[in-house]
Amino acid sequence: RAKNSTPVMCLSWTPGGRRLLTGNQEGEFTLWDGITFGFELIMSAHDASFRCMAWSHNRNYLLTSDAGGNIKYWSPSIAPVQSLDSHNQQPIHALSFAPSDTKFVSCGDDATVRVWDWASHTEERVLEGHGWDVKCVQWHPRSSLICSGSKDNLVKLWDPRAGSTLSTLYGHKNTVTKVSWNDNGNWLLTASRDQLIKLYDIRMMKELCSLKGHHKEVTSIAWHPLYESVFCSGGMDGTLLFWNVGPKGSDEPAARVPFAHDMAIWDLQWHPAGHMLASGSNDRQTKFWSRNRMGSTGGLPQGGAEEGDGSPSNEILNAEMELGNHVGIVIGRRGATIISMQRATGTKMHVDQVRRVLQIEGTQKQIETVKKRVGALLDRVSNDNPMQQGY
């Protein structure tokens, strides 16, 4: 974390998964060791904030984009090869290679999707049809088909050869933040600020399911590289969810990590071997996730393994606490106090500034801990005030 003093906007595993590459809001690359998780290198790459990075299918080149409309080519040793300016200097949110690696596609806040020739570094086609900023784009893993999602709430399927719209999906009620093709080529996953994730089967152009699990907008999704029906998603509130869809799957999350990050999870990337997940967040942290070893309670709530989820001590409760005139003290500068208290106690907290109360969600023990800490904070403030008034 110390190496990244700004939000982590995107990340990607190097070919083979030996290292993790992250891009931050300052336009810097950071390289982390994928085995020891130690810091290796930090270097300047873009003049503006990173927006996206994508490897070619043959793993010979890396593409990156930034908030100033710049696209850069990199070699596997992270040496710059080529630089292009496009999208009228608007942020370029996504890049994706064609299956043959001879073409790639980009999308940006100028409401266009652009198809490029890789070798000649030239723009071949501008796909126009979205009415607002295009936030995400991905080329089909095996066909001449492009999918894009926009701030106009629409998901569009394009023919890159003809430059025309093949179909439009109207499933979402807010900005479409991410689109992702499954490697089977039949399933399309879309995520939105309406807190929903939708799964489509493009053979029938039919919505298979609408997944409700996030309580804030969905900011990132990633299919598992080995298991066809497994994917994970990250939300604006830092929640990380794991899903299993398909015939033996469920409409409910298979696992939930409620406080994975303190702020929005901007990017998620599975290790190529599928045993580990990396997440990059607005809280300036990069985290690595894996499943527990059999029988291990590491990372689980204390006593969780013995007591089971149904026990009274693990039951999630809601409570409120009066704050009076000390609302700002509990929130802290830029929310620092309430964020650190949430992390330390494992609860979910929200300050209702109209009613001047602190809303707490957690187990009975966690709620008692929070009330004790907040009470001590308020007592300290109250004891300080009379002295100040006396002077």
Side-chain angles (χ1 to χ4, degrees), residues 71-74 79-84 121:
I71 299 171
K72 279 194 167 86
Y73 291 32
W74 305 83
V81 177
Q82 181 76 23
S83 178
L84 307 168
H121 320 302

Side-chain angles (χ1 to χ4, degrees), residues 337-369:
T337 306
I338 195 168
I339 284 172
S340 63
M341 211 175 290
Q342 280 186 122
R343 193 190 295 165
T345 58
T347 54
K348 197 167 188 177
M349 295 158 65
H350 173 71
V351 175
D352 187 331
Q353 298 190 37
V354 177
R355 293 169 51 221
R356 296 184 178 182
V357 296
L358 175 67
Q359 298 170 335
I360 314 162
E361 184 182 311
T363 63
Q364 185 65 45
K365 192 175 180 182
Q366 289 171 332
I367 290 171
E368 287 169 9
T369 307

